[in-house]
């Protein structure tokens, strides 16, 4: 039998990661788009409930040195781990506390942003209720709360395998055994291949996602004692009972009707009388199983539609690159810009082409809307003017195009400028959190608050050495020492280099390239 007294999050720690979608910058940006006036990101107060080891919040505290961050979690193991990191990094603007959410009252303080990730669906009803009480009582007037949760209808399929697995391991308490036996059961059911085709296909898909899920996520999320998905309309009603209203999803693309086929959009518009209903129907169409919802106080006046007038407040960034440079920004010849994960934009509009080219050159840095407009006007060959009408017209055209691009995840909007450099200095300095994380693994948080994969052991070892004390020669020397000690193996054509001299040559050849690579990943502060 699982031990009912032990906290499962102490038994198997849930390693923290960067919640880019819940960063105060994202929450403030979306709030601004909907007409709110959120707190200044750089000086905000952030509370994270169920913060685990606090790594997400530690990243925020590091990136926003003038912000005040408080994280609470019931499990001691995660909090202890997080406190050790806070201590090592010398951060003074964050406290991580082992604390029960149920004990949080109004006197716990007011926060501009409250983050609740991976908690609402995994706690008993009383705690679920209190999460929303805290989101109401401890949220500043113009504050935004982020709450993620599992949703129906998508989770009906997940429930099917979860119910089989939790039955199967009902008498097993060892986490590793629970994980292995649960996976084995679903594999067995799929391989046996009985039942009708619909059943077999659904199970096969569930098995695929079970097999790629990390052990800790699988253990806590799928096999946890509580896992309560809800329909979006139920969540929205629950929030409303607590004096909160729906603001947006953290991923703006998720609320875009435009992702549905045009015929479906027409039907949706007829079916849905308000935003809640519209999004509920969209969940039916998508078979949605997870949401990351932003809430604000009921009564806060929100725009019906995100306003393009507010785009002028933002800085803009984009990873898109022209498909076939050079781009002719002066004509109406169409140009395609390509990004990662199939993102692309085709535009013939000179101003938008020029803006995308400017953003491409600036990446990974963002460009403020006003500077972007000025640069795009020059690049697209417009003559300098002080004509207010013409400038306003161009600003509106560009803002509308950028808002569409933002809705399609082709550009990002920001209200905060991360502090990083893309070119390594004479004695390069990497983010102290990333250096610390590189000691343990190959996933590190960059200064744009994203988890980044470190490519290979050279990058992983080099990152740890970038504390500003070493120039290129010292870095090469220390990397060679690591090779001698057997802690670093250089490779040639996929094969390990075994003699030291060749390894040194390889280090010399790859050092600068690797430093530049680290810089483009927004991991350097100097
Ligand atoms: C699924 S984990 C999510 C951790 C982290 N938010 C993340 O997404 O990486 C849920 C966390 O909520 C914590 N938790 C559960 N009930 C709690 C309570 N009543 N008070 C504080 N923390 C709680 C657990 O200890 C666990 O660390």
């Amino acid at each position: 039998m699982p031990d009912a007294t032990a906290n499962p999050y102490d038994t198997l720690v849930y390693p923290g990661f960067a919640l880019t979608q819940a960063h105060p910058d994202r929450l403030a940006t979306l709030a601004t788009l909907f007409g709110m006036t959120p707190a200044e990101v750089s000086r905000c107060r952030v509370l994270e409930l169920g913060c685990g080891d606090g790594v997400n919040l530690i990243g925020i505290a590091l990136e926003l040195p003038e912000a005040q961050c408080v994280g609470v979690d019931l499990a001691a193991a995660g909090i202890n781990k997080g406190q050790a990191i806070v201590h090592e990094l010398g951060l003074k603007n964050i406290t991580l506390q082992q604390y029960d959410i149920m004990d949080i009252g109004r006197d716990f303080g007011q926060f501009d942003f409250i983050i609740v990730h991976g908690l609402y669906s995994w706690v008993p009803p009383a705690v679920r209720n209190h999460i929303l009480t805290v989101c109401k009582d401890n949220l500043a007037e113009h504050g935004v709360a982020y709450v993620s949760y599992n949703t129906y209808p998508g989770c009906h399929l997940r429930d099917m395998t979860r119910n089989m697995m939790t039955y199967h391991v009902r008498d097993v308490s060892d986490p590793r055994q629970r994980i292995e036996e649960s996976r084995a059961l679903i594999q067995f059911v799929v391989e046996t291949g009985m039942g009708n085709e619909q059943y077999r296909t659904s199970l096969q898909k569930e098995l695929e996602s079970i097999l790629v899920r990390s052990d800790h996520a699988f253990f806590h999320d799928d096999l946890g004692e509580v896992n309560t998905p809800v329909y979006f309309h139920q969540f929205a009603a629950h929030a409303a009972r607590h004096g909160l209203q729906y603001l947006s999803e953290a991923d703006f693309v998720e609320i875009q009707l435009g992702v549905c086929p045009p015929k479906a959009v027409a039907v949706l518009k007829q079916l849905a009388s308000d935003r809640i209903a519209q999004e509920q129907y969209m969940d039916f169409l998508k078979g949605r199983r997870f949401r990351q919802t932003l809430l604000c106080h009921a009564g806060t006046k929100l725009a019906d539609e995100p306003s393009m007038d507010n785009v002028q407040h933002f800085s803009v960034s984009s990873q898109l690159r022209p498909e076939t440079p050079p781009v002719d920004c002066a004509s109406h010849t169409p140009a395609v810009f390509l990004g990662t994960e199939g993102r692309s934009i085709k535009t013939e509009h000179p101003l938008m082409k020029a803006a995308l080219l400017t953003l491409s050159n600036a990446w990974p840095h963002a460009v403020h809307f006003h500077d972007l407009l000025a640069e795009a006007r020059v690049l697209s060959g417009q003559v300098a003017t002080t004509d207010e009408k013409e400038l306003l017209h161009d600003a509106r055209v560009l803002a509308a195009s950028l808002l569409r691009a933002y809705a399609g995840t082709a550009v990002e909007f920001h209200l905060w400028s991360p502090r990083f450099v893309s070119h390594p200095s004479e004695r390069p300095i990497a983010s102290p959190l990333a250096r610390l994380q590189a000691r343990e693994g190959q996933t590190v948080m960059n200064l744009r608050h994203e988890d980044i994969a470190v490519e290979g052991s050279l990058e992983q070892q080099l990152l740890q050495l970038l504390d500003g004390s070493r120039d290129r020669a010292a870095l090469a020397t220390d990397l060679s020492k690591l090779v001698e000690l057997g802690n670093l193996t250089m490779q040639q054509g996929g094969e390990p280099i075994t003699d030291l001299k060749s390894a040194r040559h390889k280090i010399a050849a790859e050092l600068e390239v690797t430093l530049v690579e680290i810089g483009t990943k927004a991991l350097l502060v100097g």
Side-chain angles (χ1 to χ4, degrees):
M1 279 282 285
D3 178 359
T5 56
N7 185 330
Y9 291 98
D10 278 328
T11 319
L12 190 68
V13 174
Y14 200 104
F17 49 92
L19 299 170
T20 316
Q21 73 282 16
H23 193 279
D25 181 40
R26 175 77 68 91
L27 308 191
T29 296
L30 285 161
T32 303
L33 264 182
F34 281 96
M36 286 176 65
T37 46
E40 195 184 325
V41 173
S42 59
R43 291 155 186 238
C44 64
R45 299 160 293 176
V46 191
L47 170 64
E48 184 171 346
L49 303 180
C51 66
D53 63 13
V55 159
N56 174 58
L57 202 58
I58 290 170
I60 293 174
L62 191 71
E63 292 146 6
L64 309 174
E66 290 178 70
Q68 291 299 326
C69 304
V70 178
V72 297
D73 199 289
L74 202 53
I79 291 293
N80 291 342
K81 185 176 164 208
Q83 282 173 344
I85 299 175
V86 169
H87 180 73
E88 184 172 340
L89 298 183
L91 292 171
K92 302 284 180 242
N93 60 339
I94 176 169
T95 53
L96 299 177
Q97 305 171 30
Q98 189 191 357
Y99 207 87
D100 190 336
I101 290 163
M102 297 303 283
D103 295 333
I104 296 181
R106 282 178 200 272
D107 57 353
F108 199 79
Q110 291 282 293
F111 297 87
D112 303 303
F113 302 104
I114 299 181
I115 301 169
V116 196
H117 184 75
L119 201 63
Y120 182 87
S121 284
W122 291 272
V123 287
V127 185
R128 218 174 297 147
N129 250 328
H130 202 68
I131 286 171
L132 293 184
T133 302
V134 173
C135 287
K136 175 68 188 173
D137 291 351
N138 301 83
L139 190 68
E141 189 186 348
H142 302 288
V144 179
Y146 160 106
V147 185
S148 68
Y149 50 97
N150 281 343
T151 52
Y152 289 132
C155 270
H156 281 300
L157 294 171
R158 199 169 171 181
D159 280 354
M160 183 171 71
T161 45
R162 170 180 153 75
N163 292 341
M164 292 183 209
M165 295 186 295
T166 49
Y167 170 76
H168 182 58
V169 296
R170 64 196 178 283
D171 294 327
V172 180
S173 59
D174 176 62
R176 180 101 351 247
Q177 204 182 339
R178 278 175 76 79
I179 293 167
E180 280 166 14
E181 291 193 8
S182 297
R183 284 189 174 135
L185 172 75
I186 303 304
Q187 198 128 24
F188 164 66
V189 175
V190 167
E191 279 167 12
T192 305
M194 294 176 73
N196 64 25
E197 194 190 338
Q198 181 194 10
Y199 181 65
R200 292 198 304 272
T201 312
S202 308
L203 275 177
Q204 174 64 41
K205 290 279 164 224
E206 285 306 304
L207 177 64
E208 283 163 19
S209 62
I210 284 169
L211 292 179
V212 295
R213 215 164 288 149
S214 67
D215 284 356
H216 56 266
F218 180 59
F219 177 73
H220 292 297
D221 299 352
D222 294 81
L223 304 178
E225 196 184 327
V226 183
N227 186 335
T228 315
V230 289
Y231 281 96
F232 171 61
H233 71 88
Q234 293 172 319
F235 177 80
H238 191 195
R241 289 198 295 279
H242 283 81
L244 294 161
Q245 68 171 319
Y246 175 62
L247 169 62
S248 173
E249 280 300 291
D251 286 325
F252 191 57
V253 64
E254 294 290 356
I255 60 171
Q256 303 307 316
L257 267 181
V259 298
C260 307
K263 265 190 186 166
V265 173
V267 178
L268 278 179
K269 282 187 175 163
Q270 278 177 359
L271 286 176
S273 51
D274 56 27
R275 282 182 77 202
I276 305 292
Q278 183 171 301
E279 292 210 24
Q280 181 58 80
Y281 283 111
M282 277 171 73
D283 281 9
F284 295 161
L285 292 182
K286 293 179 181 175
R288 191 160 186 156
R289 47 171 70 195
F290 187 63
R291 268 189 176 261
Q292 304 173 131
T293 294
L294 309 191
L295 301 169
C296 63
H297 286 293
T300 305
K301 198 168 159 22
L302 297 179
D304 295 335
E305 294 281 329
S307 163
M308 74 174 180
D309 290 340
N310 291 326
V311 172
Q312 60 171 316
H313 299 299
F314 301 138
S315 291
V316 189
S317 65
S318 175
Q319 220 173 342
L320 297 191
R321 296 260 174 276
E323 186 182 38
T324 44
V327 178
D328 176 6
C329 296
S331 75
H332 280 81
T333 313
V336 176
F337 290 78
L338 300 174
T340 53
E341 295 167 26
R343 291 182 179 91
S344 77
I345 289 189
K346 184 176 182 180
T347 177
E348 55 182 37
H349 199 286
L351 209 54
M352 186 59 175
K353 282 192 286 185
L356 289 173
L357 193 60
T358 305
L359 294 175
S360 167
N361 293 335
W363 176 260
H365 293 280
V367 182
H368 194 277
F369 178 80
H370 293 305
D371 299 330
L372 185 60
L373 176 63
E375 181 69 19
R377 279 182 53 85
V378 173
L379 274 183
S380 60
Q382 309 218 38
V383 283
T385 179
T386 50
D387 181 346
E388 297 259 321
K389 256 192 176 167
E390 186 182 330
L391 288 173
L392 191 65
H393 170 265
D394 279 1
R396 291 184 71 82
V397 167
L398 184 60
S401 300
L402 288 172
L403 188 55
R404 276 195 298 278
Y406 180 63
T409 71
V411 305
E412 292 171 26
F413 290 158
H414 308 277
L415 282 165
W416 155 77
S417 300
R419 294 173 314 152
F420 63 87
V421 298
S422 33
H423 301 293
S425 67
E426 197 182 319
R427 291 169 187 271
I429 311 172
S431 152
L433 177 58
R435 290 202 317 259
L436 186 147
Q437 290 175 309
R439 287 203 307 247
E440 289 177 14
Q442 295 206 324
T443 302
V444 299
M445 198 187 299
N446 73 3
L447 293 145
R448 288 165 37 87
H449 205 74
E450 299 158 331
D451 276 334
I452 293 287
V454 174
E455 312 289 341
S457 50
L458 174 63
E459 195 170 310
Q460 189 179 359
Q461 294 294 350
L462 179 57
L463 199 49
Q464 293 171 60
L465 298 175
L466 302 182
D467 59 6
S469 69
R470 297 172 179 85
D471 60 11
R472 304 294 194 275
L475 287 170
T477 305
D478 285 354
L479 287 169
S480 300
K481 280 185 195 154
L482 289 172
V483 172
E484 279 176 58
L485 290 168
N487 293 338
L488 171 63
T489 307
M490 297 303 294
Q491 308 255 341
Q492 181 74 49
E495 295 295 318
I497 300 175
T498 46
D499 75 292
L500 197 56
K501 197 170 162 210
S502 307
R504 282 205 188 106
H505 277 126
K506 190 73 180 159
I507 288 171
E510 290 195 359
L511 180 59
E512 197 58 36
V513 180
T514 312
L515 281 172
V516 169
E517 178 65 18
I518 290 174
T520 57
K521 290 179 175 173
L523 284 164
L524 294 177
V525 287

